[in-house]
Amino acid sequence: MKIFDQNYSGLVKAMDLSYKRHMLLTSNIANSETPNFRARELDFGGELEKALVTEQSEMRTADARHFSGNGDSGGARTVLDTSGEIGADGNNVDLDIQMGKISTNGEMYQDAISFVSTKLRILRSAFNRGGI
């Protein structure tokens, strides 16, 4: 019997990617005054899909960067974020946009935690009652 299904595994991977995205977004904010800096964004959907497909095929590697192609953000693929306009200094980080993305990302992370917690409570209850 498989206790932790693909939904659970997907939620855990989404939480990991949310963390990596948060680190990337805070890096953008930290570089908001750096001339010629271009904001970056995590290819969240692509990375999540890749993680789930990788899990299904049970591919193994010695180094997480083997899947990424660039090694950024802990092995997650990043792309240029073109949501902000390029300023006179060549920087395109818009603090309002980046803070909005951090807020949305945090909400997604909290939702995933809530789902995982619910799943674990259900499993704990089933184990305690001898249902599994």
Short mmCIF file of all heavy atoms in Angstrom, two decimals, residues 31-38 89-91:
data_model
loop_
_atom_site.label_atom_id
_atom_site.label_comp_id
_atom_site.label_asym_id
_atom_site.label_seq_id
_atom_site.Cartn_x
_atom_site.Cartn_y
_atom_site.Cartn_z
N ASN A 31 19.29 43.23 -4.98
CA ASN A 31 20.04 43.83 -6.09
C ASN A 31 19.27 44.95 -6.79
O ASN A 31 19.61 45.32 -7.91
CB ASN A 31 20.42 42.75 -7.09
CG ASN A 31 21.55 41.90 -6.58
OD1 ASN A 31 22.67 42.35 -6.47
ND2 ASN A 31 21.24 40.66 -6.24
N SER A 32 18.26 45.50 -6.13
CA SER A 32 17.43 46.53 -6.78
C SER A 32 18.21 47.80 -7.09
O SER A 32 17.78 48.59 -7.93
CB SER A 32 16.22 46.85 -5.91
OG SER A 32 16.63 47.45 -4.69
N GLU A 33 19.34 48.01 -6.46
CA GLU A 33 20.16 49.20 -6.72
C GLU A 33 21.42 48.89 -7.51
O GLU A 33 22.24 49.78 -7.74
CB GLU A 33 20.55 49.86 -5.38
CG GLU A 33 19.38 50.30 -4.53
CD GLU A 33 18.67 51.51 -5.09
OE1 GLU A 33 19.34 52.39 -5.69
OE2 GLU A 33 17.43 51.58 -4.96
N THR A 34 21.57 47.64 -7.92
CA THR A 34 22.77 47.22 -8.65
C THR A 34 22.62 47.57 -10.14
O THR A 34 21.69 47.10 -10.79
CB THR A 34 22.99 45.70 -8.50
OG1 THR A 34 23.07 45.38 -7.11
CG2 THR A 34 24.25 45.25 -9.22
N PRO A 35 23.52 48.39 -10.67
CA PRO A 35 23.43 48.75 -12.09
C PRO A 35 23.49 47.52 -12.99
O PRO A 35 24.25 46.58 -12.74
CB PRO A 35 24.66 49.64 -12.32
CG PRO A 35 25.00 50.17 -10.96
CD PRO A 35 24.63 49.08 -10.00
N ASN A 36 22.67 47.52 -14.02
CA ASN A 36 22.61 46.48 -15.05
C ASN A 36 22.14 45.12 -14.53
O ASN A 36 22.26 44.12 -15.24
CB ASN A 36 23.94 46.34 -15.78
CG ASN A 36 24.30 47.61 -16.50
OD1 ASN A 36 23.48 48.21 -17.18
ND2 ASN A 36 25.54 48.05 -16.32
N PHE A 37 21.62 45.06 -13.31
CA PHE A 37 21.09 43.80 -12.80
C PHE A 37 19.74 43.53 -13.43
O PHE A 37 18.91 44.43 -13.54
CB PHE A 37 20.95 43.83 -11.27
CG PHE A 37 20.42 42.55 -10.70
CD1 PHE A 37 21.26 41.47 -10.48
CD2 PHE A 37 19.07 42.41 -10.40
CE1 PHE A 37 20.77 40.28 -9.97
CE2 PHE A 37 18.57 41.23 -9.89
CZ PHE A 37 19.42 40.16 -9.67
N ARG A 38 19.51 42.30 -13.83
CA ARG A 38 18.22 41.89 -14.39
C ARG A 38 17.56 40.92 -13.42
O ARG A 38 18.17 39.95 -12.99
CB ARG A 38 18.38 41.20 -15.74
CG ARG A 38 19.09 42.01 -16.79
CD ARG A 38 18.32 43.27 -17.10
NE ARG A 38 19.14 44.08 -17.99
CZ ARG A 38 18.68 44.75 -19.00
NH1 ARG A 38 17.39 44.79 -19.22
NH2 ARG A 38 19.48 45.44 -19.76
N ASP A 89 19.74 53.04 -15.14
CA ASP A 89 20.95 52.33 -14.71
C ASP A 89 21.01 50.91 -15.28
O ASP A 89 21.90 50.14 -14.97
CB ASP A 89 21.05 52.30 -13.19
CG ASP A 89 19.92 51.50 -12.54
OD1 ASP A 89 18.97 51.10 -13.24
OD2 ASP A 89 20.01 51.28 -11.31
N GLY A 90 20.02 50.52 -16.10
CA GLY A 90 20.00 49.19 -16.70
C GLY A 90 19.38 48.13 -15.82
O GLY A 90 19.34 46.97 -16.18
N ASN A 91 18.87 48.50 -14.66
CA ASN A 91 18.27 47.58 -13.70
C ASN A 91 16.77 47.52 -13.96
O ASN A 91 16.14 48.54 -14.20
CB ASN A 91 18.55 48.07 -12.28
CG ASN A 91 18.12 47.10 -11.21
OD1 ASN A 91 17.00 46.63 -11.21
ND2 ASN A 91 19.02 46.82 -10.29
#
